[in-house]
Amino acid sequence: QVQLVESGGGLVQVGGSLRLSCAASGIIFGNTPLEWYRQSPGKGREFVARISSGALVRRYADSVKGRFTISRDNAKNTAYLQMNSLKPEDTGVYYCKIPEDRGRGAYWGQGTQVTVSS
């Protein structure tokens, strides 16, 4: 059974930083890309960042480029999202996702709340 567990969310002031973690189990983590999404109040879930299985390729939403960094430690089955220079519009629930692949659907974590106060 695949599980993704996010942690590291919280309340932070504008301009502050947070580091989110996504711990995976039940899957060969190093064989799969990993994505972060977020959902703000009243909005749909939106893509934030993606990292390839070997961490060689990273992609970001325009809204977070230059402020957020996605990384992973395959030995620890964990991915991270370092968020700097946080803005109120970064507020939302952050989810990690293992994308769908041949023969299976996607896996999602339960989310972690990030609140940026002004």
Side-chain angles (χ1 to χ4, degrees), residues 7 11 17 19 22 26 29 32 34-35 44 55 59 71-72 78 101 105-107 112:
S7 61
L11 175 64
S17 298
R19 187 196 197 203
C22 172
F29 186 66
T32 179
L34 191 286
E35 298 173 343
R59 184 163 58 93
S71 62
R72 67 191 298 159
T78 301
D101 199 354
Y107 300 108
T112 185

Side-chain angles (χ1 to χ4, degrees), residues 16-66:
S17 298
L18 283 174
R19 187 196 197 203
L20 306 184
S21 298
C22 172
S25 60
I27 194 168
I28 302 175
F29 186 66
N31 287 355
T32 179
L34 191 286
E35 298 173 343
W36 285 96
Y37 284 74
R38 67 185 179 191
Q39 187 161 15
S40 305
K43 295 185 179 180
R45 202 168 290 191
E46 64 171 346
F47 169 81
V48 174
R50 173 184 171 104
I51 188 167
S52 62
S53 58
L56 294 179
V57 180
R58 307 176 198 213
R59 184 163 58 93
Y60 298 93
D62 288 343
S63 58
V64 307
K65 274 181 188 173

Side-chain angles (χ1 to χ4, degrees), residues 38-45 88-93 113-115:
R38 67 185 179 191
Q39 187 161 15
S40 305
K43 295 185 179 180
R45 202 168 290 191
E89 51 264 43
D90 294 319
T91 294
V93 179
Q113 175 71 45
V114 170
T115 303

Side-chain angles (χ1 to χ4, degrees), residues 65-86:
K65 274 181 188 173
R67 300 188 298 121
F68 290 14
T69 302
I70 189 171
S71 62
R72 67 191 298 159
D73 185 340
N74 288 342
K76 294 183 179 179
N77 286 357
T78 301
Y80 306 96
L81 187 68
Q82 177 67 43
M83 307 187 296
N84 299 329
S85 303
L86 283 162

